[in-house]
Amino acid sequence: MRRMVIRSVPVALLGTACAAQPWTPSVPVAYWSQPVPDAGPVMAQSGDLLLRRWALPETDAWAPYQKATLLTAVGEMDPGTLLPDTERLDVVQVARASAHRVATAGLPSDVMVVVDLRGAASVAFGAELVRASRAPVSLVLTFNNWPSEDEVVPAEETLAALVRDAPLSQAGGGPPVFLLDAWRLAFRFDEPDPGSVDNRYAVGDLPTADVLRARGIRRVLYVVEDLDETDVEEDDLNATFLAYQAAGIPVSMTDLDFMSQRELALSWPAVLDSCILQVSSRQVIVDDPYFYARAHGGWGGVRGLPGGWGGHGRWGGHGFHGGGHGGG
């Protein structure tokens, strides 16, 4: 699949725009992270099997928030399709090691984790957490776009990780771990060519503060790749995190290096208190009309049909903002 057909904005404008914007997870992943790996062999499995392996039970409290859009793309792929070899990404290996450390320590039952890494790394983190945890964990996929020829962001990279690293099943019943793809709002200051598929999207429906409280969640842990390259939450999370903070649910922000080295088991409260994020109201790209103008009205055009994990993703035309909604 060809990717990232973009018409770059003038260098001076890009520099000015970047200087005016905070560094969110989509900035380093777009401009200076390891390139998308070459294609490699793909484990053959049906789309239905892949859905079943990643799906939370319907009885799980967090099941209404999961997104099947990207997973359903497997059913549309030719059997001989090659996908990127995501095991070659350094961040995938670091994410797996960090998740193993978290699993060994045991994830507190009153913490919701939001993992905002390059998609393949988020998948690796979640898959290892399920494999290595002694207690139940509820992984919630939020990948809500579609791979395509001439795509702006590499959905097939995240899809490759979902195929290769799928758990045998999800029992659910544990604290929620939301898996996000930091590619989703990348290249925000670039203009896609008119013929490209702008498959970027926003995560717009994390649980509300009231839902978290009702389900025993008292804190949120936000995981990014590297705090040296990221200083605030992604733009589409700003309003939600502000609401958590206002409701007395603190958001702690940390990175993979911290989680892979810190002795988490000693005291989770101390760990979380050491990295509390002070969320501030700010201008965000999803409220910027010029962002949509640069996208030629097609941003977020991939959407899933109603019905949760039983639906099938499809191309939804122009101007569909974000695509798909969770429940509960």
Side-chain angles (χ1 to χ4, degrees), residues 123-142:
V123 171
F125 187 100
E128 181 63 23
L129 198 58
V130 166
R131 281 191 296 263
S133 291
R134 297 184 295 274
V137 175
S138 295
L139 300 182
V140 184
L141 305 187
T142 68

Side-chain angles (χ1 to χ4, degrees), residues 56-67 109 111-112 137-141 172-178 206-208 211-217 244 309 326-328:
L56 286 167
E58 293 183 1
T59 55
D60 189 280
W62 310 105
Y65 295 93
Q66 54 193 353
K67 299 290 187 294
S109 61
V111 173
M112 180 177 83
V137 175
S138 295
L139 300 182
V140 184
L141 305 187
V177 179
F178 282 75
L206 290 180
T208 65
V211 169
L212 296 188
R213 286 189 176 280
R215 296 175 182 174
I217 300 299
Y244 292 165
W309 287 84

